[in-house]
Amino acid sequence: MSNELCTFALKTTLSEIKKVCPDLSHSLIFDKDANILATDEDTSQENATQAAHALNALIGKAEVIGGIDSTTFETAEGRVSLICTPTLRIATVASSRSEERFVTALHRVLVPTVLELAEKISQESSEEISQESLPNNFTVTEETITTEETEQSNESAVQEQPAEETIPIEDELSAEPSYPEPMATQFMIENVGGLLVSTDTVQIDNAAILQWNETYEDKKITEVEIETLSGQTTRCKFKPIKDTKHNGKGVIRIPKKVQLALQACEGELVTVKPVLEL
Amino acid sequence: MVKKKKQTHNDAETEMMEGITITATDQEPTFATIRLNLIEISKKPNVTGYILRNSTSAVIDLKDPETLQSFAILSAEATETAEELSRLFKLGKVENILIEGKNQKIVCLSVGENKINVFMEKDASHAAIAKQLLR
């Protein structure tokens, strides 16, 4: 499953839960190796990592009670709750005023559901991609077989068709590797500006760029196509976000000029596709 | 309007609030008092044991002594984790911890300098036990 899609889905879920529960101050989702899968916007990566390590150390020592289902730490100024699901660990920090049962129930239901949905969407889109890229190869193979069969029947030849005849076609196909349709990634717009910032270059999460480079390793990618939810599109140059605190947050930093061209503004969602140069 | 009246007598402070009298001694419940409470609590069928300790003494009572080490390690780790989380998110003093496992649960409380860990079956009422200890 695409990590970005997963992170985006979980992050959105956390911020939506926070809107419903204003007493919630921090929330984070991590896995059994303390990898942070998502945090809300008020939780720093450093704090999240330290909290995940501390909680995982506790979980690791809970075999005597059959593993941890949930944990609550009540303090003078709030409450930390940990919920363990088979695949994820969800930690929330809330004020003592918050309704713990409500907050826990929301997380227990929403987070796994959203994750499952994101997985399903990801699977379906990858199936679509493979279906789009496969038919050409299949058609050619079938045609080859049909042609061979026809030739054989016409000639009534006992001799088998030499295998070499089909090989060149396959070689021809393998010589030009088929790339999947450029994958669209969803990002949230953030403003970027300043004297040293180029007005025609957007800044994108480095993880997304690395993934594109892996997927289309032979292709040069110098531009991206950005599309808003209303269908406005533009092409522009891109570079990775240098500031690490913005990485992994599913944001694209777009200069005002490009935002105007897209008729979009900060906080809106856009899909971004790499433009593959031939 | 809330009326408050404070008077001190015999090291005890009495507060009058809307006709309700709350008497709190200026001393926290002693180690011995808590221990007596824990003895009562441990008689309940779904309570599997407890650890009570302060800087000078410790009492351990577990129905299955073989699990002592694991429970002690888990309780200590829970306290450390709580302190770490409290530091990270600036939450102040840790008051109590509830760990719900698949089979059992643990309530960790601090009463003054006394640290209490009560181990119980999953279906036990931890709230009632905590209330009994804090009264």
Side-chain angles (χ1 to χ4, degrees):
Chain A
M1 182 177 144
S2 156
N3 279 342
E4 280 151 45
L5 177 66
C6 168
T7 306
F8 181 76
L10 292 176
K11 218 179 168 76
T12 312
T13 311
L14 292 184
S15 49
E16 289 304 314
I17 293 175
K18 211 168 168 180
K19 281 179 196 164
V20 182
C21 315
D23 290 325
L24 207 60
S25 55
H26 301 277
S27 41
L28 58 127
I29 301 172
F30 56 100
D31 65 11
K32 62 180 172 53
D33 300 318
N35 295 317
I36 305 298
L37 305 177
T39 64
D40 67 320
E41 58 269 29
D42 296 327
T43 309
S44 71
Q45 196 71 16
E46 195 188 340
N47 275 3
T49 309
Q50 285 184 36
H53 278 290
L55 288 165
N56 271 0
L58 175 66
I59 295 166
K61 295 198 168 73
E63 267 179 37
V64 68
I65 55 166
I68 289 180
D69 200 25
S70 68
T71 303
T72 310
F73 304 91
E74 300 260 7
T75 71
E77 286 165 44
R79 181 193 299 126
V80 182
S81 303
L82 168 72
I83 306 160
C84 295
T85 72
T87 50
L88 299 173
R89 281 132 198 213
I90 308 155
T92 57
V93 183
S95 76
S96 309
R97 290 188 306 273
S98 66
E99 283 181 53
E100 193 193 355
R101 279 188 186 182
F102 179 58
V103 173
T104 306
L106 267 179
H107 281 91
R108 265 199 196 281
V109 173
L110 282 178
V111 171
T113 309
V114 167
L115 196 66
E116 204 176 307
L117 267 174
E119 261 172 18
K120 224 170 214 177
I121 293 165
S122 171
Q123 266 175 11
E124 276 174 16
S125 59
S126 61
E127 271 167 25
E128 273 170 26
I129 287 166
S130 58
Q131 273 169 5
E132 277 168 18
S133 59
L134 279 173
N136 292 337
N137 299 356
F138 280 131
T139 315
V140 173
T141 319
E142 279 164 13
E143 275 174 9
T144 315
I145 292 163
T146 321
T147 320
E148 279 172 18
E149 279 171 0
T150 322
E151 276 172 14
Q152 275 178 345
S153 60
N154 284 350
E155 288 170 13
S156 307
V158 185
Q159 264 187 321
E160 277 186 20
Q161 284 283 333
E164 294 92 76
E165 276 186 31
T166 56
I167 291 168
I169 299 167
E170 282 171 9
D171 281 349
E172 210 175 290
L173 287 170
S174 59
E176 261 188 65
S178 62
Y179 289 95
E181 187 74 6
M183 190 174 62
T185 312
Q186 203 165 31
F187 291 103
M188 189 178 282
I189 300 176
E190 253 190 24
N191 290 333
V192 64
L195 287 172
L196 300 172
V197 175
S198 171
T199 54
D200 60 349
T201 305
V202 296
Q203 296 178 11
I204 299 177
D205 201 325
N206 202 23
I209 297 170
L210 287 173
Q211 200 185 349
W212 292 340
N213 288 338
E214 260 178 40
T215 315
Y216 315 105
E217 51 189 6
D218 298 336
K219 299 277 178 183
K220 202 177 166 194
I221 306 167
T222 53
E223 282 188 323
V224 287
E225 189 176 273
I226 307 169
E227 186 173 354
T228 62
L229 294 178
S230 57
Q232 294 286 340
T233 58
T234 188
R235 274 187 186 198
C236 54
K237 286 183 260 178
F238 70 97
K239 64 179 187 179
I241 298 176
K242 279 182 191 163
D243 193 348
T244 49
K245 75 175 180 184
H246 286 92
N247 275 324
K249 290 194 168 180
V251 295
I252 180 168
R253 306 183 81 196
I254 304 182
K256 275 281 171 207
K257 189 181 154 188
V258 181
Q259 285 187 34
L260 281 172
L262 283 169
Q263 294 172 11
C265 59
E266 191 173 39
E268 281 184 34
L269 293 175
V270 287
T271 51
V272 180
K273 276 190 221 175
V275 177
L276 305 179
E277 282 181 18
L278 297 171
Chain B
M1 194 182 143
V2 178
K3 287 179 189 171
K4 278 191 181 180
K5 189 175 140 191
K6 283 188 180 178
Q7 53 186 124
T8 312
H9 57 91
N10 296 335
D11 295 327
E13 193 174 74
T14 305
E15 255 187 35
M16 293 281 286
M17 290 175 79
E18 289 180 342
I20 304 162
T21 310
I22 305 156
T23 306
T25 57
D26 62 359
Q27 284 186 328
E28 297 284 354
T30 60
F31 190 85
T33 320
I34 298 169
R35 192 181 170 185
L36 284 175
N37 258 339
L38 283 169
I39 290 169
E40 279 305 307
I41 288 166
S42 66
K43 285 176 188 166
K44 291 181 182 177
N46 44 16
V47 173
T48 53
Y50 64 86
I51 299 174
L52 166 64
R53 65 193 163 85
N54 64 19
S55 53
T56 55
S57 322
V59 183
I60 297 162
D61 181 7
L62 280 170
K63 285 179 184 164
D64 179 8
E66 282 180 13
T67 55
L68 169 65
Q69 197 183 356
S70 307
F71 273 121
I73 291 171
L74 178 58
S75 307
E77 188 69 44
T79 310
E80 265 179 42
T81 305
E83 277 160 12
E84 172 75 354
L85 293 172
S86 171
R87 184 188 63 78
L88 287 172
F89 299 111
K90 299 179 180 68
L91 296 171
K93 188 176 175 267
V94 178
E95 289 172 349
N96 59 62
I97 304 165
L98 169 68
I99 304 172
E100 294 202 58
K102 303 272 187 281
N103 317 319
Q104 294 203 52
K105 55 185 170 183
I106 306 173
V107 172
C108 309
L109 297 165
S110 290
V111 181
E113 64 158 5
N114 302 300
K115 310 268 183 226
I116 312 161
N117 302 311
V118 187
F119 312 106
M120 61 197 89
E121 300 292 341
K122 188 106 168 119
D123 57 351
S125 167
H126 62 268
I129 289 167
K131 203 173 170 185
Q132 195 175 339
L133 281 166
L134 293 169
R135 73 181 175 196

